[in-house]
Amino acid sequence: MYQTDMYEGMLAETVMIPGMNGDLINAYFARPLGPGPFPGMVVIHHMPGWDEWYREATRKFAHHGYAALSPNLYFRAGHGTPEDVAVKVRAEGGVADDQAVGDMAGALAYLQSLPYLNGKIGVFGTCSGGRHAYLAACRIPGFTAVVDCWGGHVVMAPKDLSPKRPVAPLDYTADLPCPLLGLFGAEDHNPTPEQVALHEQELQKHGKPYEFHMYPNAGHGFFYYHRPNYRQEQAVDGWQKIFAFLEKHLGAPA
């Protein structure tokens, strides 16, 4: 716990990391100063893009003692404002799951190479990033915990599958090797409470450790303080649950 006489410092910068097929992509990296050891976090951005909220979230994890890395999953779409790049990616039908998984594996490998980590690395995401975080945890060996915040399209009907998204993340549940924290809004339409219930049934079927919290009076994206869907009480409680979950499974930050 923080004491007022403690030294604090943080490094935050853009770095280049190898992603899918060794392609170099940019990523935002933040970590506390000091010798560590620190737990690690891969921070996966949402459909609106690799935007300011995600750089803030990356620094928030660093502030709480994590070496945090947020890869730009839209790097190959070119550069511009996050909003413009996101529009281009949406027009192209989003990024392919295999490509996203390759980039997230690169982010995990980057953190694993750092000498000041404690060896435990989690993955976090909201919206499409929550879906990608769940995919990463199921398909990439090495994650210790996963946080899925209102990830849509984890449960998918056959008609929603496509060449870019050929398998519903739900179908990888048997391969999930680590504990899962899920935060959802009761008024969300993607995922709906019914889809969250299906996800929960699949986790129970395979005996997977998980915590799900469904917040009343909250819809999609209730952490986003700069949007009308922000819900202060639910967001504060949600962040508290995230850091309690991570401390339990990744160890107390140095």
Side-chain angles (χ1 to χ4, degrees):
M1 180 173 294
Y2 177 74
Q3 303 291 316
T4 54
D5 60 348
M6 289 172 58
Y7 168 77
E8 277 192 303
M10 180 190 298
L11 171 69
E13 61 178 346
T14 304
V15 297
M16 299 299 291
I17 67 170
M20 178 73 175
N21 294 327
D23 297 342
L24 286 179
I25 64 171
N26 54 5
Y28 189 68
F29 178 59
R31 70 171 177 87
L33 296 182
F38 308 113
M41 283 300 295
V42 174
V43 183
I44 306 301
H45 67 79
H46 50 180
M47 179 64 82
W50 194 55
D51 59 8
E52 181 174 347
W53 192 90
Y54 259 87
R55 291 194 297 282
E56 290 179 348
T58 305
R59 291 194 296 272
K60 187 177 185 75
F61 282 109
H63 174 75
H64 283 265
Y66 298 84
L69 182 67
S70 179
N72 177 10
L73 301 186
Y74 294 174
F75 180 84
R76 295 171 186 81
H79 300 291
T81 67
E83 294 77 14
D84 288 345
V85 175
V87 167
K88 184 176 180 181
V89 171
R90 283 177 188 267
E92 294 171 350
V95 297
D97 283 347
D98 284 349
Q99 178 180 300
V101 168
D103 288 347
M104 294 185 289
L108 174 66
Y110 183 92
L111 288 178
Q112 288 173 327
S113 73
L114 301 177
Y116 44 79
L117 257 70
N118 72 357
K120 296 182 178 180
I121 299 172
V123 58
F124 161 93
T126 66
C127 182
S128 66
R131 178 181 184 275
H132 282 145
Y134 190 72
L135 270 179
C138 292
R139 294 182 56 186
I140 306 168
F143 285 111
T144 309
V146 53
V147 179
D148 169 10
C149 294
W150 57 90
H153 299 295
V154 171
V155 177
M156 300 175 69
K159 66 180 178 59
D160 296 323
L161 301 176
S162 68
K164 287 190 171 182
R165 300 193 297 183
V167 179
L170 184 74
D171 293 341
Y172 291 111
T173 298
D175 300 324
L176 181 68
C178 61
L180 163 68
L181 173 66
L183 304 181
F184 307 97
E187 298 175 359
D188 202 340
H189 298 290
N190 186 25
T192 64
E194 292 76 19
Q195 289 170 328
V196 174
L198 289 173
H199 191 181
E200 191 165 18
Q201 289 173 17
E202 193 72 5
L203 291 163
Q204 292 173 350
K205 172 183 170 184
H206 293 287
K208 302 299 180 181
Y210 73 96
E211 295 177 32
F212 274 9
H213 301 276
M214 180 70 72
Y215 287 93
N217 303 314
H220 199 76
F222 58 90
F223 276 25
Y224 303 149
Y225 63 86
H226 58 306
R227 296 186 179 184
N229 42 349
Y230 180 58
R231 295 293 181 271
Q232 186 267 346
E233 179 180 352
Q234 294 87 339
V236 169
D237 186 80
W239 277 117
Q240 290 174 343
K241 283 185 167 55
I242 287 170
F243 286 113
F245 174 83
L246 294 178
E247 182 170 337
K248 177 180 177 181
H249 295 291
L250 302 188

